[in-house]
Amino acid sequence: SHLSGPMEGMGDGKQQRTSHSLITSENARVGARVRRGRDWKWKDQDGGQGNLGTIVEAVTEQGWVKVQWDGSEQQNRYRAGHMEYFDLELCDTCPKESRQLSSGEKLNFVGSGCSVLLKSSCIPGLLLDTSPLQPGDVGIVLEAPVGDYARVFCHKTKKEFSCPAGWLCDIEQVLVTEKNARWSKDRDVVMSPHCCWKDKIPAGSKGKLVCQGNGSWYYVDWKDGSGMAYAYRTGVGNHYDLVFHDAQESISWPNPPCGSPILGVGCEVILAESTESEGCLDQGDVGHIVSINTS
């Protein structure tokens, strides 16, 4: 098959690595994956050298962040500039740095640091964000379920939300990621409803993974007779274009109306033309879709 690189306008597909960046007030963000850094002095509070954790509270004015370490229920604060000390180091934020569950943990367990997929629609109520969330939205667990609810940071909205743990699943079960693609070349894949390049391939087409491209891009041969294999995102910027065909029924994927293949409730949009409707909206105004008229 002829390999076609990352789609036009998306750059060369390379993902910047920040494996050795110290956590500071400038780069610390909720949901970031970290490990012990240059000025670490807290013995094995992190569970041991090389263990990873998740930032669950941003930097305070005094220069501290709160972290929960994988496999631990305890949260502790660490220096991120306090007195010019830096206890933590930023890990790659792609899925391979997500928490890896041990063999003794349940398959559907969602703990702090796990990358998860929302399985059904969720409009937060008593939550930290009021943006509508869609099936297929991806986030990282900040706090393991308390009762039936987990606290999650959504990559799309850049906000925290809470939802029943049963609404979440490990992304590795459904989405094609840089990590699971390596041993999944015998499984059929289809395009995710969130994929931006549906016009390239007939709807419902099945394909096979061919090889890895630059960074978190993977080539797919769609067996359509064209002899072309296109590259798709398997974690670039927390975007996933591919779904395993035998796993997609576990998600209540949104079904946008024809003619708007990538628009749905919750999508951020920009106004293409000025309007004289109430409020006098101007070209370039930005908002979110709250409902869709299909008539």
Side-chain angles (χ1 to χ4, degrees), residues 37-186:
R38 184 187 72 188
D39 301 318
W40 182 264
K41 68 168 188 176
W42 310 101
K43 298 184 178 180
D44 284 341
Q45 196 174 89
D46 57 352
Q49 179 73 39
N51 198 35
L52 303 183
T54 306
I55 295 180
V56 295
E57 281 187 16
V59 178
T60 65
E61 293 182 0
Q62 293 75 32
W64 295 76
V65 295
K66 182 180 286 189
V67 173
Q68 181 165 334
W69 299 102
D70 293 358
S72 171
E73 298 301 322
Q74 187 174 358
Q75 298 180 355
N76 299 99
R77 295 187 184 277
Y78 300 96
R79 298 168 296 180
H82 178 73
M83 302 293 290
E84 298 300 317
Y85 288 105
F86 302 89
D87 292 324
L88 303 170
E89 181 178 287
L90 182 66
C91 297
D92 290 340
T93 55
C94 53
K96 65 175 179 294
E97 294 292 356
S98 299
R99 179 177 178 182
Q100 304 300 299
L101 300 182
S102 69
S103 58
E105 292 175 316
K106 296 183 296 183
L107 181 64
N108 62 350
F109 175 79
V110 288
S112 176
C114 288
S115 288
V116 290
L117 180 76
L118 189 63
K119 295 193 292 184
S120 59
S121 298
C122 173
I123 299 180
L126 301 175
L127 311 181
L128 303 178
D129 178 30
T130 57
S131 301
L133 300 174
Q134 291 182 312
D137 285 344
V138 174
I140 189 165
V141 177
L142 302 179
E143 188 174 358
V146 178
D148 293 329
Y149 281 77
R151 186 162 66 97
V152 181
F153 178 82
C154 179
H155 295 308
K156 181 183 77 174
T157 64
K158 308 298 182 186
K159 301 286 186 179
E160 299 176 28
F161 71 97
S162 295
C163 75
W167 293 7
L168 304 170
C169 69
D170 188 335
I171 65 170
E172 302 293 334
Q173 298 178 34
V174 180
L175 302 179
V176 178
T177 70
E178 182 181 353
K179 181 174 65 177
N180 65 28
R182 300 170 188 172
W183 59 79
S184 302
K185 293 183 179 180
D186 59 333

Side-chain angles (χ1 to χ4, degrees), residues 190-287:
V190 296
M191 282 181 287
S192 157
H194 301 305
C195 179
C196 299
W197 300 296
K198 295 187 180 69
D199 60 332
K200 298 286 184 180
I201 304 297
S205 296
K206 298 179 186 178
K208 295 286 188 183
L209 298 168
V210 178
C211 63
Q212 186 172 10
N214 291 327
S216 297
W217 294 78
Y218 232 93
Y219 287 97
V220 175
D221 182 354
W222 293 107
K223 306 298 182 183
D224 59 355
S226 67
M228 297 289 290
Y230 295 101
Y232 295 87
R233 298 169 295 183
T234 59
V236 178
N238 294 302
H239 294 292
Y240 304 86
D241 294 322
L242 303 170
V243 181
F244 290 114
H245 178 260
D246 57 8
Q248 64 175 339
E249 292 183 359
S250 64
I251 308 299
S252 301
W253 297 104
N255 186 24
C258 295
S260 301
I262 59 172
L263 294 182
V265 174
C267 288
E268 188 173 39
V269 292
I270 186 169
L271 193 63
E273 298 180 4
S274 298
T275 168
E276 297 180 358
S277 61
E278 183 178 357
C280 298
L281 299 176
D282 296 320
Q283 181 179 16
D285 285 347
V286 176

